[in-house]
Amino acid sequence: MYNNIKIQLLDQTALLEIDRPKYLNALNRETLEEIEHAFQHELLSNTDIRGVIITGAGEKAFVAGADIKEFMKYSTEEGMALAKWGHGVMNRIYTFPKPVIAAINGYALGGGLELALACHMRVASNSAKMGLPEVSLGLIPGYGGTQRLTQLVGRGKALEMILSGEMIDAEDANQWGLVNYTTNSDELISKTTDLLKKMYGKSAHAIAAAIKAVNAGLGKDTDGYEEEIRSFGESFGTPDFHEGVDAFLTKRKPNF
Ligand code: CAA
């Protein structure tokens, strides 16, 4: 069904692999379309899927950026349209109601790092290299990197990475708060899956609401405090709340 991505089910986790290793998994238009489609359809609607891991095929790269070959001849308008669409796709991941984790297995550059930044969490293999090298091409990051990197690592470190275009390694990324954990390459998927499994025993409704409230505080048109108040209240009307509290009071595990 897809030409550039593969989706595999590992119990309740969907492993989405960007699969263009020959081009270091660069995001051409078709790949971006397929990612968008997957998050709009099967990953969202399949209730057996409780969380998603995004990773890159091969040993070398997570994703080495947007496909530079494709936008060589772009006009100003075409560049803007690409960024607008890219923002839409990244936003779909950023606001996805199930947890999404990037398992960064090599180069995560430009649009590739922006894809990882759109995920809710990031785990990097020790060999990962991360950067926003767009200034080397006479560009700036176009899939949300100027904003999301700044939110994660602060203005000073974000500007250092964006203005120098230099890559950082997994250790620095971990220290700067860009990734949640680092691990050996061969344990990357199992470590990321273990992190997701901690969330699967919890209320899917509460998880979706928590993602929304956290995001609301970071959005410019939304109020995170208001969202939290509204959503906290709404939770009392859900079956998950009744199950969670009953399980606590009767000293059993909740069945969400
Ligand atoms: N777009 C298109 N093709 C890419 C690519 C990209 N972003 N990154 C790598 N490739 C291709 C290379 O062209 C090469 O293909 P050919 O064999 O047909 O020449 C193949 O992948 C292997 O790459 P290299 O031979 O360059 O591998 P390397 O080990 O020597 O270097 C690298 C690895 C340092 C990651 C280097 O490939 C590189 O610098 N890539 C570009 C990174 C980049 O600038 N990314 C930002 C893109 S712009 C962007 O993403 C805008 C945005 O914000 C939306």
Side-chain angles (χ1 to χ4, degrees):
M1 176 182 176
Y2 293 122
N3 295 321
N4 307 277
I5 65 172
K6 278 188 193 151
I7 299 176
Q8 196 187 330
L9 284 189
L10 313 169
D11 286 330
Q12 296 166 289
T13 303
L15 179 67
L16 188 160
E17 195 174 57
I18 316 289
D19 190 25
R20 301 182 77 218
K22 194 163 179 275
Y23 303 107
L24 306 186
N25 305 319
L27 298 178
N28 61 354
R29 293 189 72 91
E30 194 181 39
T31 308
L32 202 57
E33 264 164 26
E34 291 180 359
I35 295 171
E36 183 175 36
H37 186 278
F39 275 94
Q40 233 170 337
H41 298 286
E42 59 261 50
L43 299 177
L44 184 64
S45 60
N46 184 342
T47 48
D48 292 339
I49 297 172
R50 295 289 306 268
V52 182
I53 297 175
I54 303 181
T55 196
E59 306 281 292
K60 217 171 147 181
F62 174 74
V63 169
D67 194 313
I68 300 168
K69 288 163 200 150
E70 267 188 0
F71 54 63
M72 259 175 52
K73 290 189 189 133
Y74 272 13
S75 64
T76 301
E77 288 72 25
E78 286 167 319
M80 211 177 284
L82 177 71
K84 202 165 179 190
W85 174 43
H87 272 238
V89 178
M90 299 303 149
N91 217 31
R92 197 171 280 286
I93 299 170
Y94 187 75
T95 58
F96 200 63
K98 310 174 189 184
V100 185
I101 308 186
I104 304 174
N105 57 313
Y107 290 114
L109 302 175
L113 182 58
E114 293 170 297
L115 175 65
L117 289 168
C119 296
H120 303 128
M121 289 153 267
R122 287 144 291 280
V123 179
S125 75
N126 293 329
S127 60
K129 294 255 186 274
M130 286 152 265
L132 291 175
E134 285 88 344
V135 288
S136 317
L137 301 165
L139 294 171
I140 69 165
Y143 291 169
T146 59
Q147 305 306 302
R148 294 205 176 104
L149 183 65
T150 307
Q151 280 167 0
L152 270 183
V153 305
R155 185 167 177 263
K157 289 292 187 197
L159 281 171
E160 182 182 334
M161 285 180 71
I162 294 166
L163 304 190
S164 72
E166 294 274 296
M167 299 180 208
I168 62 167
D169 62 18
E171 200 185 323
D172 278 348
N174 197 16
Q175 254 180 31
W176 295 8
L178 177 43
V179 301
N180 297 57
Y181 298 100
T182 59
T183 182
N184 297 327
S185 303
D186 47 1
E187 287 169 6
L188 179 63
I189 300 302
S190 63
K191 171 111 186 158
T192 311
T193 308
D194 287 348
L195 185 54
L196 279 172
K197 279 186 186 157
K198 292 182 189 178
M199 299 160 202
Y200 295 162
K202 309 294 188 286
S203 155
H205 173 272
I207 283 179
I211 291 170
K212 197 168 173 200
V214 169
N215 287 349
L218 298 168
K220 69 174 173 36
D221 301 322
T222 45
D223 183 327
Y225 292 100
E226 286 302 323
E227 177 59 31
E228 184 179 292
I229 291 166
R230 196 188 59 73
S231 196
F232 179 77
E234 271 181 15
S235 304
F236 286 84
T238 64
D240 278 6
F241 165 69
H242 294 287
E243 170 61 14
V245 171
D246 185 70
F248 178 77
L249 296 175
T250 55
K251 302 192 187 302
R252 62 176 175 86
K253 271 188 134 186
N255 181 19
F256 291 124

